[in-house]
Amino acid sequence: MIDPLAEVVTLLQPGAPYSKLVGGAGRWSVRRAEAGGPFFCAILEGASRLAVDGHEPVILEKGDFVLIPSAFNFTVSSLDPPKGKSDTAHVVLPDGEVRHGNPSGPPDVRMLVGYCVFGSPDAGLLVSLLPRLVHVRGERRLSTLVQLVREESLERRPARDVILARLLEVLLIEALRSTAGTAASPGLLRGLADERLSAAIRRMHESPAQPWTVAQLAKEAALSRSVFFERFNRGVGVAPMEYLLGWRMALAKDLLRRKEITVAEVAEQVGYSSASTFSVAFTRYVGLPPTQYVRQHVESARP
């Protein structure tokens, strides 16, 4: 059986090459506004407050893991943040820990934060299928991974950075598949948590070349057309045909970069009757024709 999340994660090629140990004591606050960089945070000890623009603030506790696939404006702070919008001062302690707030004494919270990378050239397209905010709590497997990350980050053993990078990659994937239910923000994960929508999403991934209609997908979900359309929009965040188009284009880009088949063969595999109709759709969606996309990819891949 096709696993839509596995397909998206495989194409994303997640990695976590950069992380740092951060502690906070007293009243402190840090705001970030970098767009596009996937941000993660694992709470190793204590508790912290996360305020993401457009979401209610959440209290992060020991064992929690947060992933913002496409980082936007957010603030991490003490439970009782200081007034004002400017960042509080920080220092780097002798052991490498970045300390916010009071530089002396034990921290109120210790966490591992960083920016991960998605190796796919089409990460933006694939990230759009994920929730804007992933917050996982109470998952035993995830808590175990966070504990392993904590132990590795606090010790200076050989190959520490390599082990941390691998553990964080597993954490990212585990966090994505642990996010389910209506508590998740709209996206692929929330759609897969809905048994009816999941059936339709799986069929789109199993047979992307099939000439799907909303009525046919609604039948796969055992829902009326109108109920399916509204439920899909609410759960996944986009209309069914928009989701299908996005997935077909992601597959097409991946196939084109491999340079193993012709444009006509790619068109057939992603549901277009001819190379010309595919080229028109691809150009409209991507901004350049398939052949030019391939040339651009080849040039960017040259050393």
Side-chain angles (χ1 to χ4, degrees), residues 5 65 130-131 133-139 142 172-195 198 202 235:
L5 179 58
F65 185 82
L130 302 176
L133 172 65
V134 175
H135 176 208
V136 185
R137 169 178 293 166
E139 291 289 336
L142 204 69
L172 295 176
I173 298 170
E174 188 68 32
L176 289 173
R177 73 175 187 176
S178 296
T179 301
T182 55
S185 55
L188 175 62
L189 302 181
R190 183 167 166 180
L192 291 175
D194 183 318
E195 185 178 353
S198 177
R202 290 181 189 279

Side-chain angles (χ1 to χ4, degrees), residues 75-87:
T75 302
V76 182
S77 69
S78 54
L79 298 182
D80 181 21
K83 295 181 180 179
K85 296 184 178 180
S86 59
D87 291 357

Side-chain angles (χ1 to χ4, degrees), residues 202-238:
R202 290 181 189 279
R203 290 293 290 127
M204 282 189 266
H205 279 252
E206 286 172 1
S207 306
Q210 186 164 324
W212 293 108
T213 63
V214 174
Q216 290 172 329
L217 291 170
K219 185 176 180 181
E220 295 290 339
L223 294 169
S224 70
R225 186 186 184 283
S226 59
V227 170
F228 169 73
F229 186 85
E230 191 277 332
R231 191 156 156 177
F232 196 100
N233 263 292
R234 187 174 65 249
V236 183
V238 295

